[in-house]
């Protein structure tokens, strides 16, 4: 497996990759959720590229850019284990040689809601780096986790709206045995936080907005940023006609901000 740092090295490696190429974009601190993305990538293409880059554009002031976990050696070991063909791990200068880009992708109205309402500019930063990495890696397929459901929805929209010509594959969230969604940020949780954080999964598993709210209200270690039920297709608030919804939650647990979501089958509801 090759580890490359520059766009020229990446272009050289890219030319040698046989068949369809899938990319898995990450910020490192890889866990089993990322391994699942790599396996999905292998299932959908002959060659797999992983990118590792902690993208400052998607962090707001006072967020965790500086303390974001960096575990490059174990990340590379996981990529080897999963049969990845190459890792692209650029420096900040390599990605943004002229400093922070003045031109960015605008995430549009959905980018202002839910996560976007709490993290202004976050999705512009995500879509800008995803667009750049798609240009640099020129994949046939790009694989993203459903854990970041709003990010996945916005990437699908960007690819459609701006004709990127890449297939986007979503992969179900990987959870710890007790239900906690895997996240690089789980590393911040104390033992006590870790216990309190389970309320997020309990709440989502109830499949009902009011029940979920009651479960979260009952856990003093959790402060909810938002809890919403949206239509899984349109991301509008779930309405009488919604057959499949998605419960979304973001909450602070100690000093850690966690997000999670789950699909909810609402079936045909009687309007009365
Ligand atoms: O999901 C992530 O890890 C990041 O948002 C991504 C897609 C790698 C862009 O920096």
């Amino acid at each position: 497996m090759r580890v490359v740092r520059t766009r020229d090295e990446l272009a050289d490696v890219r030319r040698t990759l046989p068949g369809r190429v899938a990319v898995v974009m990450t910020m490192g601190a890889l866990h089993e959720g990322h391994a699942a993305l790599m396996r999905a990538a292998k299932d959908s293409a002959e060659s797999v590229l992983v990118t590792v880059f902690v993208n400052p554009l998607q962090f707001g002031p006072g967020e965790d850019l500086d303390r974001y976990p960096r575990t490059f050696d174990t990340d590379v070991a996981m990529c080897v284990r999963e049969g990845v063909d190459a890792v692209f791990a650029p420096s900040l200068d390599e990605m943004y040689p002229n400093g922070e880009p003045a031109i960015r992708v605008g995430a549009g109205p959905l980018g202002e809601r839910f996560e976007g309402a709490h993290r202004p500019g976050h999705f512009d930063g995500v879509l800008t780096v995803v667009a750049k990495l798609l240009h640099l890696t020129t994949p046939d397929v790009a694989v993203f986790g459903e854990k970041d459901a709003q990010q996945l929805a916005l990437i699908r929209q960007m690819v459609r709206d701006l004709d990127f010509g890449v297939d986007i594959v979503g992969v179900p969230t990987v959870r710890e045995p007790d239900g906690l969604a895997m996240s690089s940020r789980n590393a911040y949780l104390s033992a006590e936080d870790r216990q309190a954080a389970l309320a997020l999964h309990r709440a989502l598993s109830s499949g009902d907005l009011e029940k979920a709210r009651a479960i979260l209200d009952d856990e003093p270690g959790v402060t909810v940023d938002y809890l919403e039920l949206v239509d899984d297709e349109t991301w509008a608030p779930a309405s009488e006609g919604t057959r499949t919804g998605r419960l979304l939650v973001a909450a602070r647990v100690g000093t850690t901000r966690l997000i999670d979501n789950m699909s909810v089958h609402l079936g045909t509801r009687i309007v009365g």
Side-chain angles (χ1 to χ4, degrees):
M1 189 190 76
R2 291 276 306 277
V3 176
V4 294
R5 300 279 185 182
T6 68
R7 35 184 90 209
D8 288 346
E9 287 170 340
L10 172 63
D12 284 345
V13 166
R14 176 66 185 84
R15 268 193 290 277
T16 67
L17 294 178
R20 277 163 61 83
V21 174
V23 67
V24 177
M25 298 179 189
T26 81
M27 299 205 298
L30 303 184
H31 49 67
E32 276 307 303
H34 295 107
L37 301 183
M38 293 175 204
R39 285 171 209 151
K42 276 194 96 73
D43 285 347
S44 49
E46 281 71 46
S47 302
V48 177
L49 257 173
V50 169
T51 69
V52 177
F53 179 66
V54 182
N55 171 40
L57 300 189
Q58 67 190 77
F59 290 80
E63 290 188 0
D64 57 344
L65 173 62
D66 293 337
R67 70 165 180 154
Y68 198 83
R70 286 158 171 91
T71 58
F72 191 65
D73 292 347
T74 53
D75 294 348
V76 167
M78 175 183 281
C79 292
V80 170
R81 211 162 53 236
E82 295 300 331
V84 167
D85 295 283
V87 172
F88 176 50
S91 67
L92 192 56
D93 261 9
E94 188 67 24
M95 276 306 276
Y96 302 118
N98 305 310
E100 291 209 346
I103 307 290
R104 301 186 188 202
V105 178
L110 178 55
E112 312 266 292
R113 295 167 57 205
F114 314 117
E115 274 306 274
H118 288 266
R119 306 182 69 188
H122 169 67
F123 286 120
D124 293 2
V126 169
L127 294 185
T128 301
V129 83
V130 169
K132 281 172 70 80
L133 289 169
L134 287 174
H135 291 319
L136 290 169
T137 59
T138 60
D140 299 285
V141 182
V143 179
F144 297 91
E146 288 178 3
K147 157 81 170 30
D148 296 305
Q150 192 178 1
Q151 166 175 288
L152 175 59
L154 285 165
I155 290 169
R156 287 191 195 281
Q157 212 179 339
M158 172 179 81
V159 161
R160 230 179 11 245
D161 287 356
L162 301 182
D163 296 306
F164 271 75
V166 60
D167 290 340
I168 302 298
V169 170
V171 177
T173 302
V174 178
R175 296 179 181 280
E176 302 283 358
D178 60 10
L180 183 70
M182 295 225 178
S183 163
S184 306
R185 291 188 167 98
N186 291 351
Y188 304 149
L189 298 170
S190 68
E192 203 181 320
D193 294 341
R194 175 76 183 63
Q195 205 52 36
L198 295 178
L200 271 66
H201 177 250
R202 275 203 310 281
L204 297 178
S205 306
S206 75
D208 177 276
L209 187 58
E210 292 321 311
K211 284 186 192 149
R213 204 180 303 284
I215 290 167
L216 291 168
D217 283 351
D218 232 31
E219 175 50 72
V222 168
T223 308
V224 175
D225 271 355
Y226 61 85
L227 172 69
E228 304 274 358
L229 178 62
V230 298
D231 184 303
D232 202 23
E233 285 292 310
T234 62
W235 283 70
S239 65
E240 295 298 341
T242 304
R243 297 179 71 84
T244 307
R246 192 164 287 273
L247 270 171
L248 312 173
V249 67
R252 276 161 294 125
V253 184
T255 59
T256 310
R257 189 169 178 283
L258 297 177
I259 62 172
D260 199 354
N261 69 88
M262 210 176 274
S263 160
V264 183
H265 182 67
L266 299 170
T268 314
R269 288 181 292 169
I270 311 292
V271 187

